[in-house]
Amino acid sequence: MSWGTELWDQFDNLEKHTQWGIDVLEKYIKFVKERTEIELSYAKQLRNLSKKYQPKKNSKEEEEYRYTSCKAFLSTLNEMNDYAGQHEVISENMTSQITTDLARFVQELKQERKSNFHDGRKAQQHMETCWKQLESSKRRFERDCKEADRAQQYFEKMDADINVTKADVEKARQQAQIRHQMAEDSKADYSSSLQKFNQEQHEYYHTHIPSIFQKIQEMEERRIVRIGESMKTYAEVDRQVIPIIGKCLDGIVKAAEAINQKNDSQLVIEAYKSGFEPPGDIEFEDYTQPMKRTVSDNSLSNSRGDGKPELKFGGKSKGKLWPFIKKNKGATPEDFSNLPPEQRRKKLQQKVDELNKEIQKEMDQRDAITKMKDVYLKNPQMGDPASLDHKLTEVSQNIEKLRLEAQKFEAWLAEVEGRLPARGEQARRQSGMYDGQGTPTANSCAQDRESSPDGSYTEERSQENEVKVLATDFDDEFDDEEPLPAIGTCKALYTFEGQNEGTISVIEGEILYVIEEDKGDGWTRIRRNEDEEGYVPTSYVEVYLDKNAKGHTGEVKKEIVVSVPFCRGVMLEDIGTIAEESEFSFPPQVPLVFVPSVCHLNKSSKISAVYDLLLLLERGP
């Protein structure tokens, strides 16, 4: 079955058919290209959808993804992102393996088709030329034959006419012979042209055309095979990503199966547990008795009406309210004392972890600078070692500041976890939020509220030292207090940047007023003017107290600030126990401000650390 033998006379139809085949191939290329664009658009939309629902960093949404259901949703978003990537792979592979190759193949096909049909037309033109030559020689032969016949007839007529001279007859005979010879020559030429044409025609229909049509047939068959292979590739490209897409879907199913409703319920408890115990029963208050009524220990709140005094804690601070009483909105204290015990512990632990990471980062930077300085010392041509001193000093100061900050939060954390006695007043002073001057009993009540080991609050301890403080009916935000009097002056030894709430920034060499001494927590309260006051580290200033100033006791502080590395198991009870079993005298009159630094110590190291502390205590303040 060959086009050259079966379709020898269908040159024009074959030309149209091959052009149609190329058009079909180009249509398929366009189809695949549009498919790749759809895949890219779909992948982009999937990625945008996944990105839209991703949790924003440092936002409340990020905290919500602690729940297993939210984690499953986050896994779904990540898997959809990978799913979108597979559609991008489909688009890329179809472009490289189908559209690009087919576009190049179409160009080659067009060139080959053009060359083959050009050869066919050239053969056709040659046959037409041969045919015209044959027709020309045939017409000439026909004309010469007619002329020879007429000349012969004229000669015969002249020869039969008796009136015609012999010379005219001879002339007519010669003319007839000439015409006859010309007819013979035309005959020979026509015979030669006919023979040549038949030969050319035989070669055309049995050699040239079959060869050209065979090439065209092979070209068309290659086109058909190529489009079939492209369709297979089209399917294979999709099939190649099916396992990965299946893994994406399996990941979504696995994430869904990992959802644990019990775990989520426990997380809700951890997130919102206040640590308070439910209020007890309200006791009956007998108004028929003439005796003075007192508020019961388990009352939900103190009465404010009828001109009765209201118990207030810590000056302006009311202490912790019951869980269901609406709290006044305001700035968040640095020690998170506005939060319930359990939530406060978690926030403090988080803050300690952050500070430790920052300290480690600064220490790594210091080590790097130190190594660079050593390199400069060994190779002066690489740089000046003195140029790194300023940076090294700055990093060391940052480390010291961060350590002080970490110790402060570790102390608050230890207080919340019940490892230390309550330090309500000191914690408030360190956080810069203690701005009221309450009575000692009221402060003790607030401390009891904040430092209950189990996170609950009862009024039994505060009831023992209950005092009545006159209260006003207007809101606390409108209470005005007289500014504290200055009890001396101080000179800033170093520059301090007060970035935390309650602190104040000072510049080296600056002279300021002291309005509250260091009470053992390492902070001194100072004032620059009527509107600027706050706390600075005591080690950053040199204090000059006025002995005649109001508020100065004139006594040496009997407090010891101790900062030693203890593990979580070290309690103040350990100090008392070891003190009783040792030769050290434990001075009960000296209050102890204990600032632990959490670490991991064995039992012998723990006892050694306690002994070191007792040595300090025996030497006295």
Side-chain angles (χ1 to χ4, degrees), residues 123-148:
Q124 281 184 339
Q125 291 174 358
H126 179 69
M127 286 303 302
E128 290 176 358
T129 301
C130 292
W131 174 256
K132 289 179 181 179
Q133 290 177 357
L134 178 62
E135 288 291 324
S136 176
S137 61
K138 180 181 178 180
R139 286 193 298 271
R140 186 169 58 254
F141 171 61
E142 183 182 5
R143 185 179 64 253
D144 290 345
C145 287
K146 289 180 179 180
E147 291 291 335

CSV table of all heavy atoms in Angstrom, one decimal, residues 123-148:
chain,number,residue,atom,x,y,z
A,123,ALA,N,8.6,18.2,-11.0
A,123,ALA,CA,8.4,17.1,-11.9
A,123,ALA,C,7.2,17.4,-12.8
A,123,ALA,O,7.2,17.0,-14.0
A,123,ALA,CB,8.2,15.8,-11.1
A,124,GLN,N,6.1,17.9,-12.2
A,124,GLN,CA,4.9,18.2,-13.0
A,124,GLN,C,5.3,19.3,-14.1
A,124,GLN,O,4.8,19.1,-15.2
A,124,GLN,CB,3.8,18.8,-12.1
A,124,GLN,CG,3.1,17.7,-11.3
A,124,GLN,CD,1.9,18.3,-10.5
A,124,GLN,OE1,1.9,19.5,-10.2
A,124,GLN,NE2,1.0,17.5,-10.2
A,125,GLN,N,6.0,20.3,-13.7
A,125,GLN,CA,6.4,21.3,-14.7
A,125,GLN,C,7.2,20.7,-15.9
A,125,GLN,O,7.1,21.1,-17.0
A,125,GLN,CB,7.2,22.4,-14.0
A,125,GLN,CG,6.3,23.3,-13.1
A,125,GLN,CD,7.1,24.3,-12.3
A,125,GLN,OE1,8.3,24.4,-12.5
A,125,GLN,NE2,6.4,25.1,-11.5
A,126,HIS,N,8.1,19.8,-15.5
A,126,HIS,CA,8.9,19.1,-16.5
A,126,HIS,C,8.1,18.3,-17.5
A,126,HIS,O,8.3,18.4,-18.7
A,126,HIS,CB,10.0,18.2,-15.9
A,126,HIS,CG,10.8,17.5,-16.9
A,126,HIS,ND1,11.8,18.1,-17.7
A,126,HIS,CD2,10.9,16.2,-17.2
A,126,HIS,CE1,12.4,17.2,-18.4
A,126,HIS,NE2,11.9,16.0,-18.2
A,127,MET,N,7.1,17.7,-17.0
A,127,MET,CA,6.1,16.9,-17.8
A,127,MET,C,5.3,17.8,-18.7
A,127,MET,O,5.1,17.5,-19.9
A,127,MET,CB,5.2,16.0,-17.0
A,127,MET,CG,5.9,14.8,-16.4
A,127,MET,SD,6.7,13.7,-17.6
A,127,MET,CE,5.3,13.3,-18.6
A,128,GLU,N,4.9,18.9,-18.2
A,128,GLU,CA,4.2,19.9,-19.0
A,128,GLU,C,5.0,20.4,-20.1
A,128,GLU,O,4.6,20.6,-21.2
A,128,GLU,CB,3.7,21.0,-18.1
A,128,GLU,CG,2.6,20.6,-17.1
A,128,GLU,CD,2.1,21.7,-16.2
A,128,GLU,OE1,2.8,22.8,-16.3
A,128,GLU,OE2,1.2,21.5,-15.4
A,129,THR,N,6.3,20.6,-19.8
A,129,THR,CA,7.2,21.1,-20.9
A,129,THR,C,7.4,20.1,-22.0
A,129,THR,O,7.4,20.4,-23.2
A,129,THR,CB,8.6,21.5,-20.3
A,129,THR,OG1,8.4,22.5,-19.3
A,129,THR,CG2,9.5,22.0,-21.3
A,130,CYS,N,7.6,18.8,-21.6
A,130,CYS,CA,7.7,17.8,-22.6
A,130,CYS,C,6.4,17.6,-23.4
A,130,CYS,O,6.5,17.4,-24.6
A,130,CYS,CB,8.0,16.4,-21.9
A,130,CYS,SG,9.6,16.4,-21.1
A,131,TRP,N,5.3,17.8,-22.8
A,131,TRP,CA,4.0,17.7,-23.5
A,131,TRP,C,3.9,18.8,-24.5
A,131,TRP,O,3.4,18.6,-25.6
A,131,TRP,CB,2.9,17.7,-22.5
A,131,TRP,CG,1.5,17.8,-23.1
A,131,TRP,CD1,0.7,18.9,-23.2
A,131,TRP,CD2,0.8,16.8,-23.8
A,131,TRP,NE1,-0.5,18.6,-23.8
A,131,TRP,CE2,-0.4,17.3,-24.2
A,131,TRP,CE3,1.1,15.4,-24.0
A,131,TRP,CZ2,-1.3,16.5,-24.9
A,131,TRP,CZ3,0.2,14.7,-24.7
A,131,TRP,CH2,-1.0,15.2,-25.1
A,132,LYS,N,4.3,20.0,-24.1
A,132,LYS,CA,4.2,21.1,-25.0
A,132,LYS,C,5.1,20.9,-26.2
A,132,LYS,O,4.8,21.2,-27.4
A,132,LYS,CB,4.6,22.4,-24.3
A,132,LYS,CG,3.5,22.9,-23.3
A,132,LYS,CD,4.0,24.2,-22.6
A,132,LYS,CE,3.0,24.6,-21.6
A,132,LYS,NZ,3.4,25.8,-20.8
A,133,GLN,N,6.3,20.4,-26.0
A,133,GLN,CA,7.2,20.1,-27.1
A,133,GLN,C,6.6,19.1,-28.0
A,133,GLN,O,6.8,19.2,-29.3
A,133,GLN,CB,8.6,19.6,-26.5
A,133,GLN,CG,9.4,20.7,-25.8
A,133,GLN,CD,10.7,20.1,-25.2
A,133,GLN,OE1,10.9,18.9,-25.3
A,133,GLN,NE2,11.5,21.0,-24.6
A,134,LEU,N,6.0,18.0,-27.5
A,134,LEU,CA,5.4,17.0,-28.3
A,134,LEU,C,4.3,17.6,-29.1
A,134,LEU,O,4.1,17.3,-30.3
A,134,LEU,CB,4.9,15.9,-27.4
A,134,LEU,CG,4.1,14.7,-28.1
A,134,LEU,CD1,5.0,14.0,-29.1
A,134,LEU,CD2,3.5,13.8,-27.1
A,135,GLU,N,3.5,18.4,-28.5
A,135,GLU,CA,2.3,19.0,-29.2
A,135,GLU,C,2.9,19.9,-30.3
A,135,GLU,O,2.3,20.0,-31.4
A,135,GLU,CB,1.5,19.8,-28.3
A,135,GLU,CG,0.6,19.0,-27.3
A,135,GLU,CD,-0.5,18.3,-28.1
A,135,GLU,OE1,-1.0,18.9,-29.0
A,135,GLU,OE2,-0.8,17.1,-27.7
A,136,SER,N,4.0,20.6,-30.1
A,136,SER,CA,4.5,21.5,-31.1
A,136,SER,C,5.0,20.7,-32.3
A,136,SER,O,4.8,21.1,-33.5
A,136,SER,CB,5.6,22.3,-30.5
A,136,SER,OG,6.3,23.1,-31.5
A,137,SER,N,5.8,19.7,-32.0
A,137,SER,CA,6.3,18.8,-33.1
A,137,SER,C,5.2,18.1,-33.9
A,137,SER,O,5.2,18.0,-35.1
A,137,SER,CB,7.3,17.8,-32.6
A,137,SER,OG,6.7,16.9,-31.7
A,138,LYS,N,4.1,17.8,-33.2
A,138,LYS,CA,3.0,17.2,-33.8
A,138,LYS,C,2.3,18.1,-34.7
A,138,LYS,O,1.9,17.8,-35.9
A,138,LYS,CB,2.0,16.7,-32.7
A,138,LYS,CG,0.8,16.0,-33.3
A,138,LYS,CD,-0.1,15.5,-32.1
A,138,LYS,CE,-1.4,14.9,-32.6
A,138,LYS,NZ,-2.3,14.5,-31.5
A,139,ARG,N,2.1,19.3,-34.3
A,139,ARG,CA,1.4,20.3,-35.1
A,139,ARG,C,2.2,20.7,-36.4
A,139,ARG,O,1.7,20.9,-37.5
A,139,ARG,CB,1.1,21.6,-34.3
A,139,ARG,CG,-0.1,21.4,-33.3
A,139,ARG,CD,-0.5,22.8,-32.8
A,139,ARG,NE,0.6,23.5,-32.1
A,139,ARG,CZ,0.8,23.4,-30.8
A,139,ARG,NH1,0.0,22.5,-30.0
A,139,ARG,NH2,1.8,24.0,-30.2
A,140,ARG,N,3.5,20.8,-36.1
A,140,ARG,CA,4.4,21.0,-37.3
A,140,ARG,C,4.4,19.9,-38.3
A,140,ARG,O,4.4,20.1,-39.5
A,140,ARG,CB,5.8,21.3,-36.8
A,140,ARG,CG,6.8,21.7,-37.9
A,140,ARG,CD,8.1,22.2,-37.3
A,140,ARG,NE,8.8,21.2,-36.5
A,140,ARG,CZ,8.9,21.2,-35.2
A,140,ARG,NH1,8.4,22.2,-34.5
A,140,ARG,NH2,9.6,20.2,-34.6
A,141,PHE,N,4.4,18.7,-37.8
A,141,PHE,CA,4.3,17.5,-38.7
A,141,PHE,C,3.0,17.5,-39.5
A,141,PHE,O,3.0,17.2,-40.7
A,141,PHE,CB,4.5,16.2,-37.9
A,141,PHE,CG,4.2,15.0,-38.7
A,141,PHE,CD1,5.0,14.6,-39.8
A,141,PHE,CD2,3.2,14.1,-38.3
A,141,PHE,CE1,4.7,13.5,-40.5
A,141,PHE,CE2,2.9,13.0,-39.0
A,141,PHE,CZ,3.7,12.6,-40.1
A,142,GLU,N,1.9,17.9,-38.8
A,142,GLU,CA,0.6,17.9,-39.4
A,142,GLU,C,0.6,19.0,-40.5
A,142,GLU,O,0.1,18.8,-41.6
A,142,GLU,CB,-0.5,18.2,-38.4
A,142,GLU,CG,-1.9,18.2,-38.9
A,142,GLU,CD,-2.9,18.5,-37.8
A,142,GLU,OE1,-2.5,18.8,-36.7
A,142,GLU,OE2,-4.1,18.4,-38.1
A,143,ARG,N,1.2,20.1,-40.1
A,143,ARG,CA,1.2,21.2,-41.1
A,143,ARG,C,2.0,20.9,-42.3
A,143,ARG,O,1.6,21.2,-43.5
A,143,ARG,CB,1.7,22.5,-40.4
A,143,ARG,CG,1.7,23.7,-41.3
A,143,ARG,CD,2.2,25.0,-40.6
A,143,ARG,NE,3.6,24.9,-40.3
A,143,ARG,CZ,4.1,24.7,-39.1
A,143,ARG,NH1,3.2,24.6,-38.0
A,143,ARG,NH2,5.4,24.6,-38.9
A,144,ASP,N,3.2,20.3,-42.1
A,144,ASP,CA,4.0,19.9,-43.2
A,144,ASP,C,3.4,18.9,-44.1
A,144,ASP,O,3.6,18.9,-45.4
A,144,ASP,CB,5.4,19.4,-42.7
A,144,ASP,CG,6.2,20.5,-42.1
A,144,ASP,OD1,5.9,21.7,-42.3
A,144,ASP,OD2,7.2,20.2,-41.3
A,145,CYS,N,2.7,18.0,-43.5
A,145,CYS,CA,2.0,16.9,-44.3
A,145,CYS,C,0.9,17.6,-45.2
A,145,CYS,O,0.7,17.2,-46.4
A,145,CYS,CB,1.3,15.9,-43.4
A,145,CYS,SG,2.6,14.8,-42.6
A,146,LYS,N,0.2,18.5,-44.7
A,146,LYS,CA,-0.8,19.2,-45.4
A,146,LYS,C,-0.2,20.0,-46.6
A,146,LYS,O,-0.7,20.0,-47.7
A,146,LYS,CB,-1.7,20.1,-44.6
A,146,LYS,CG,-2.6,19.3,-43.6
A,146,LYS,CD,-3.4,20.3,-42.7
A,146,LYS,CE,-4.3,19.5,-41.8
A,146,LYS,NZ,-5.1,20.5,-40.9
A,147,GLU,N,0.9,20.6,-46.3
A,147,GLU,CA,1.6,21.4,-47.3
A,147,GLU,C,2.1,20.5,-48.4
A,147,GLU,O,2.1,20.8,-49.6
A,147,GLU,CB,2.7,22.2,-46.7
A,147,GLU,CG,2.3,23.3,-45.8
A,147,GLU,CD,1.6,24.4,-46.5
A,147,GLU,OE1,1.9,24.6,-47.8
A,147,GLU,OE2,0.8,25.2,-45.9
A,148,ALA,N,2.6,19.3,-48.0
A,148,ALA,CA,3.1,18.3,-49.0
A,148,ALA,C,2.0,17.8,-49.9
A,148,ALA,O,2.1,17.6,-51.1
A,148,ALA,CB,3.8,17.2,-48.3
